Amino acid sequence: MWNLQTALAILGTLCLTSISGYKNGKVEKSCESMMPEHHSQPNTTASPYTLTVNASKFSPGDNIRVTLSGSEHFEGFLIQARDATNLDGPAIGSFTLVDPEISQRLTCNSIEVRIGSAVSHTSNAKKTEIQVIWKAPSKAPPTVQFLATVLAHYKIFWLKLPGPVISQGDVTPAPSQSTTFTSEGCGTSKSCLIDPVSCNPSVDTNCFFLSYSTLGQTVSFELSGPAQGYVSFALSKDKWMGDDDAYLCINDEGRVSVEAAHTTGRTYPEVSSKSVLTDVGWRVSDGVIQCKFSRSIYTPQDPVRFSLNNSYYLFVAHGTAEYGMIHRHTWQPLISSHHQIITGPPEILTGSRSPLLMKYHGALMLIAWMLAGSTGKLMAAYFKPDWPEQTLFGQKIWFQVCFYTVRVYINVVYTVMLLFQLMSGSEAGAHPYLGCTVMILAFCQPIMAAFRPAPDSSRRWIFNWLHWGVGNAAEIIAVVSMFFGIRQQSLLLPYPWTTGVLSAFVVWTIVLKLVLKLHKHDVIRKGLYQQFEVKNILLIYLFLTSIQLSVQMFM
Ligand SMILES: *[C@@H]1O[C@H](CO)[C@@H](O)[C@H](O)[C@H]1NC(C)=O
Ligand SMILES: *[C@@H]1O[C@H](CO)[C@@H](O)[C@H](O)[C@H]1NC(C)=O
Ligand SMILES: *[C@@H]1O[C@H](CO)[C@@H](O)[C@H](O)[C@H]1NC(C)=O
């Protein structure tokens, strides 16, 4: 009897203390487990409460504002910061109060007494938001996560709700447990820039994806794409690079650092030292880098950042990185087709990687080479006898066909090429140099021809050989240059398919030349078929293949 009474009395006292402990917030007993002593199970449904912080990075001694807010009321709370890699470990750092009426500091760690290593409520008054300041200790782990137990009402509570992870200096938070990015909701709940068109990053590893959505004063960005080193995007006032507000997600041996940077033309982007990015998370899997972060629309603390209420073009770039330093992208960036207000209504944006001018250049060069370089030359060489005396505007037709195509070839196409090179300065490798060499050689040809010695001169053979040599050299270099040209990443041609097609065309031209040469020198019996017809059929065929190939490659 006595035993039962004592037991009941002790139980009663325990219950009373824990209930009063809950009401006045003196919940030191819960320091380690963060579990309220209510003898009930924590609620496992999605909680209506969120923890946010005003920085993603910290240094020892920094103050970080931690906000617990809810779409529903709560009565009690317990907030701590712990080592993000050891969430069962001791509380870290110390809190100071913003509103001592509704919050109080608790002394949690028994081993190393730190006043204020946790905060809790002071009464069970209903509230929807609480702010406290967390001060980073001098010795802190690289990543720290905030945790909160929130009591909606006596028996309804959520245990150890995971809050934001912040990191020291250059260290980036651990991968977010968030679900993979998806293109679902693009155009309705968020704006997206996707390449290739309508791919979905949740199933397609070959998908470049940028989405952003505005909630209140913050904009959340999600960026994902297949890349070895980094993926990045930039807000730009124009379609050219330079003076852009850039955001980089750099993979450094499995860890991703998420940085805001400012690009100034062609130099390495200046990484911002001010932390304006919050709620940072990342994931690396299957060669895909994913990262997300939030940013407020206006960032007066970092004036270099663009305000997101304005209209910008979006660039998405990717490339390789080494020791966390990015290399210049070898691919042309994806550029949105038009500019958009970031905080504007959700929209699906399309983009293009290759400036149209570059495509025109490619198509023109290919057509020019195929028609003027091959067909034109073949006509000049082998069809001269067919129209020996026919004239148009007083000049022989074969002469006109040959030299006018060559002239168009030189004037129009090379001008376009040079303009393009000047404007873009893209890293095109050997292609522009080879192209220039061809151009110089091609200019030499008519000049040499103009000053050639008379047909009966004793030095005529020098000219003949020189003319032949320079012509062939130009053609060979042109072919090599084309192979370099079509491999340029920015054209997004389906390499190696295009190289195969071009090789086939080159072989076909060589075979055709050989056949015509043999034909001309009577090796193939002329009597077998009508010489004129065979040549014409070959010519028309070559002409059609040229056009078809050029169009197919670039459309
Ligand atoms: C969780 O909380 C909601 C109220 O927000 C309540 O309706 C529900 O029954 C709770 N679930 C559990 C398992 O406690
Ligand atoms: C976060 O808030 C605290 C307290 O208001 C302030 O001292 C600190 O500078 C803020 N940090 C940033 C990055 O805004
Ligand atoms: C964006 O906000 C700034 C500062 O409030 C304002 O000056 C500017 O006019 C706004 N731009 C747009 C497009 O609303």
Side-chain angles (χ1 to χ4, degrees):
M1 218 37 173
W2 180 85
N3 273 346
L4 187 63
Q5 273 176 345
T6 324
L8 278 176
I10 292 172
L11 203 67
T13 330
L14 276 179
C15 282
L16 276 178
T17 48
S18 65
I19 288 171
S20 62
Y22 140 63
K23 282 207 174 136
N24 65 19
K26 301 256 176 234
V27 292
E28 273 95 347
K29 280 195 182 127
S30 303
C31 269
E32 207 184 310
S33 64
M34 294 189 78
M35 173 84 176
E37 305 198 300
H38 302 148
H39 314 290
S40 65
Q41 287 300 307
N43 201 319
T44 49
T45 54
S47 94
Y49 310 110
T50 47
L51 266 180
T52 50
V53 290
N54 71 341
S56 61
K57 301 223 164 136
F58 71 92
S59 313
D62 275 4
N63 287 321
I64 289 175
R65 185 196 306 271
V66 184
T67 309
L68 171 67
S69 56
S71 54
E72 286 168 26
H73 295 288
F74 56 92
E75 294 182 359
F77 62 88
L78 177 67
I79 301 173
Q80 290 183 6
R82 293 188 177 183
D83 182 344
T85 60
N86 177 20
L87 292 180
D88 292 326
I92 290 165
S94 60
F95 290 91
T96 51
L97 304 177
V98 173
D99 187 353
E101 284 276 296
I102 53 169
S103 54
Q104 65 183 319
R105 310 195 320 154
L106 300 179
T107 300
C108 263
N109 298 340
S110 49
I111 310 160
E112 191 186 337
V113 177
R114 267 202 216 108
I115 298 165
S117 54
V119 272
S120 68
H121 53 283
T122 52
S123 76
N124 62 351
K126 289 187 165 67
K127 40 209 158 256
T128 52
E129 192 188 277
I130 163 84
Q131 285 198 355
V132 286
I133 308 291
W134 181 77
K135 191 179 172 76
S138 53
K139 264 196 255 161
T143 53
V144 168
Q145 183 164 25
F146 293 93
L147 300 167
T149 289
V150 188
L151 280 93
H153 188 61
Y154 183 54
K155 289 223 185 249
I156 299 175
F157 67 96
W158 281 264
L159 179 67
K160 265 174 130 173
L161 287 177
V165 177
I166 56 169
S167 59
Q168 249 193 99
D170 296 329
V171 197
T172 329
S176 66
Q177 278 107 43
S178 71
T179 48
T180 46
F181 301 160
T182 171
S183 58
E184 269 165 48
C186 283
T188 52
S189 60
K190 56 189 176 188
S191 291
C192 303
L193 174 60
I194 308 178
D195 180 63
V197 173
S198 73
C199 65
N200 188 344
S202 66
V203 288
D204 193 351
T205 53
N206 211 0
C207 185
F208 286 93
F209 173 80
L210 168 69
S211 81
Y212 46 94
S213 54
T214 313
L215 185 68
Q217 284 301 299
T218 53
V219 179
S220 309
F221 292 92
E222 291 177 338
L223 176 66
S224 154
Q228 288 304 308
Y230 74 97
V231 284
S232 67
F233 75 90
L235 309 174
S236 180
K237 289 168 190 152
D238 50 37
K239 283 201 164 191
W240 303 104
M241 307 263 260
D243 190 26
D244 301 329
D245 188 11
Y247 299 87
L248 313 165
C249 299
I250 308 168
N251 182 358
D252 185 9
E253 291 172 359
R255 303 187 63 86
V256 175
S257 62
V258 182
E259 312 272 8
H262 184 247
T263 63
T264 48
R266 320 212 137 240
T267 53
Y268 192 83
E270 270 170 50
V271 172
S272 164
S273 56
K274 307 192 179 73
S275 63
V276 291
L277 310 183
T278 54
D279 200 14
V280 177
W282 56 266
R283 235 166 68 99
V284 179
S285 68
D286 295 337
V288 174
I289 303 177
Q290 295 197 320
C291 60
K292 59 163 195 155
F293 63 88
S294 300
R295 216 210 85 170
S296 44
I297 299 173
Y298 310 102
T299 52
Q301 72 269 37
D302 191 359
V304 184
R305 307 265 77 79
F306 292 175
S307 291
L308 300 179
N309 68 336
N310 288 318
S311 199
Y312 302 106
Y313 285 100
L314 291 156
F315 286 55
V316 172
H318 69 287
T320 53
E322 220 172 9
Y323 312 116
M325 298 283 282
I326 67 168
H327 294 165
R328 250 192 75 111
H329 40 260
T330 39
W331 284 71
Q332 279 303 103
L334 177 72
I335 304 171
S336 63
S337 55
H338 60 283
H339 50 89
Q340 206 228 358
I341 298 177
I342 305 300
T343 53
E347 211 182 313
I348 297 179
L349 295 167
T350 54
S352 144
R353 283 184 191 278
S354 125
L356 270 184
L357 199 51
M358 192 142 167
K359 285 215 170 203
Y360 291 148
H361 162 67
L364 276 176
M365 286 308 288
L366 215 56
I367 292 173
W369 173 72
M370 284 171 169
L371 295 187
S374 307
T375 321
K377 269 190 72 181
L378 284 177
M379 278 175 73
Y382 302 104
F383 290 80
K384 228 152 69 168
D386 288 335
W387 307 306
E389 302 304 331
Q390 292 174 40
T391 57
L392 187 65
F393 303 122
Q395 279 178 312
K396 287 178 181 164
I397 285 183
W398 68 264
F399 178 87
Q400 284 180 339
V401 170
C402 174
F403 282 96
Y404 284 100
T405 44
V406 169
R407 219 177 254 180
V408 169
Y409 177 58
I410 292 169
N411 292 349
V412 178
V413 178
Y414 277 126
T415 314
V416 172
M417 185 192 87
L418 280 184
L419 265 182
F420 175 75
Q421 288 296 339
L422 284 179
M423 283 165 78
S424 78
S426 74
E427 282 188 9
H431 180 72
Y433 301 102
L434 292 175
C436 275
T437 313
V438 176
M439 186 177 157
I440 292 164
L441 293 181
F443 265 120
C444 287
Q445 288 290 74
I447 294 169
M448 275 199 301
F451 293 103
R452 67 178 180 256
D456 51 357
S457 157
S458 61
R459 283 170 296 154
R460 174 73 179 208
W461 64 272
I462 302 179
F463 161 77
N464 284 345
W465 277 106
L466 212 59
H467 198 66
W468 181 87
V470 170
N472 280 298
E475 195 167 353
I476 290 169
I477 299 171
V479 169
V480 174
S481 157
M482 250 178 346
F483 276 98
F484 275 104
I486 60 159
R487 281 193 59 175
Q488 274 181 53
Q489 314 269 34
S490 51
L491 282 178
L492 278 193
L493 294 178
Y495 174 81
W497 182 83
T498 39
T499 309
V501 171
L502 195 58
S503 310
F505 188 83
V506 169
V507 170
W508 156 239
T509 324
I510 292 170
V511 169
L512 197 69
K513 262 189 198 174
L514 273 177
V515 169
L516 285 170
K517 205 161 202 98
L518 296 178
H519 197 67
K520 190 180 181 183
H521 292 288
D522 275 351
V523 179
I524 295 175
R525 292 293 311 246
K526 273 180 184 168
L528 279 180
Y529 21 63
Q530 284 283 329
Q531 175 196 355
F532 186 75
E533 269 178 22
V534 173
K535 279 202 292 190
N536 276 341
I537 289 168
L538 285 178
L539 183 74
I540 290 165
Y541 193 61
L542 182 64
F543 184 81
L544 290 180
T545 359
S546 311
I547 295 196
Q548 194 195 352
L549 260 183
S550 313
V551 169
Q552 267 185 0
M553 271 201 184
F554 290 94
M555 293 311 146

